[in-house]
Amino acid sequence: MAIQITVALRKCSYSLASGPNTIPYSVWKRVHLISPQLLTDLLDPLLKFGYHPTTMKKANMEVLDKPGTPSYDSPSSFKVIVLLHPVSKILERIIASGLSLAASSLKLLHQNQCDFLPALCSSDAVLYLVYTVRKLQRPGLKVTTLFLDIKEGFDNVNASILCSFLKGAGVAHYMVSWIRSFLFQITCRLLFQGAPKSFSPVQVGIPQGSPISSLLFVIYVISLHIDLPM
């Protein structure tokens, strides 16, 4: 676990804002450097028993003005930045790494999925698209490409369906249990002038800003990938 924490902390920038407990990544990096056992003792039981504490599921939501907006009479004139607990995101990165390996071995991801996976990115998807188009054009076929954008995708993920799918697919029990615990009983508070300081429960599919959310989403929408005959 100590090695996994070290790897996760390397991916965390010193400049990233902290969450509700106001302890930044720079502090956790220093703590782990001085005493690696501390974070290990804190996070290892959570991973082993598949549990994510309620206190680590609190988020600050910073409300910012969208630049260049002529009027701020509508909620759409603002954007919200989600700030999570840094120590929680360390564990989320560790789970994301393990789930990525499990998803590959259990074929939970479509073969053409590139983003959110190690050693793959959007450039690989573009190259594959160009290759496929030229391959079809070579014998004189006409090619059309259709792009779809899923609106508010994260918000509309059904956590119960997602967890049931992961369990049925053979993902480790402790990992499914942790994901289920992570996705329920989330609370947040909006930060803007005049906003209350208290946290309120929110009903969301998967939280924005989490290192594991993108991976959970592409697993959830795998059924949308339909292979059409060429």
Side-chain angles (χ1 to χ4, degrees), residues 15-33:
S15 62
L16 289 177
S18 59
N21 65 7
T22 69
I23 302 176
Y25 284 113
S26 57
V27 172
W28 290 115
K29 288 187 177 188
R30 185 64 177 169
V31 167
H32 189 60
L33 182 64

Side-chain angles (χ1 to χ4, degrees), residues 28 50 61 143 161 201 214:
W28 290 115
M61 303 182 72
V143 183
I161 293 176
S214 298

Side-chain angles (χ1 to χ4, degrees), residues 23 30 51 65 80 120 137-138 140 144-145 149 168 174 178 183 196 206 210 216 218 225 227:
I23 302 176
R30 185 64 177 169
Y51 175 70
D65 301 349
V80 178
L120 293 173
Q137 287 178 333
R138 202 167 293 125
T144 299
T145 303
D149 180 25
Y174 77 90
W178 182 90
L183 294 179
I206 45 182
S210 170
L216 291 174
V218 296
H225 291 271
D227 291 323

Side-chain angles (χ1 to χ4, degrees), residues 42-96:
L42 174 65
L43 300 180
D44 188 56
L46 303 179
L47 187 63
K48 185 179 299 182
F49 293 104
Y51 175 70
H52 200 66
T54 304
T55 54
M56 292 170 62
K57 291 187 282 187
K58 294 182 177 181
N60 286 340
M61 303 182 72
E62 190 83 33
V63 181
L64 304 175
D65 301 349
K66 288 183 180 179
T69 302
S71 174
Y72 292 96
D73 297 332
S74 169
S76 61
S77 303
F78 303 88
K79 61 180 179 180
V80 178
I81 305 297
V82 181
L83 304 177
L84 307 172
H85 282 292
V87 69
S88 175
K89 294 181 75 171
I90 295 170
L91 181 57
E92 291 161 37
R93 288 186 186 278
I94 293 172
I95 292 287

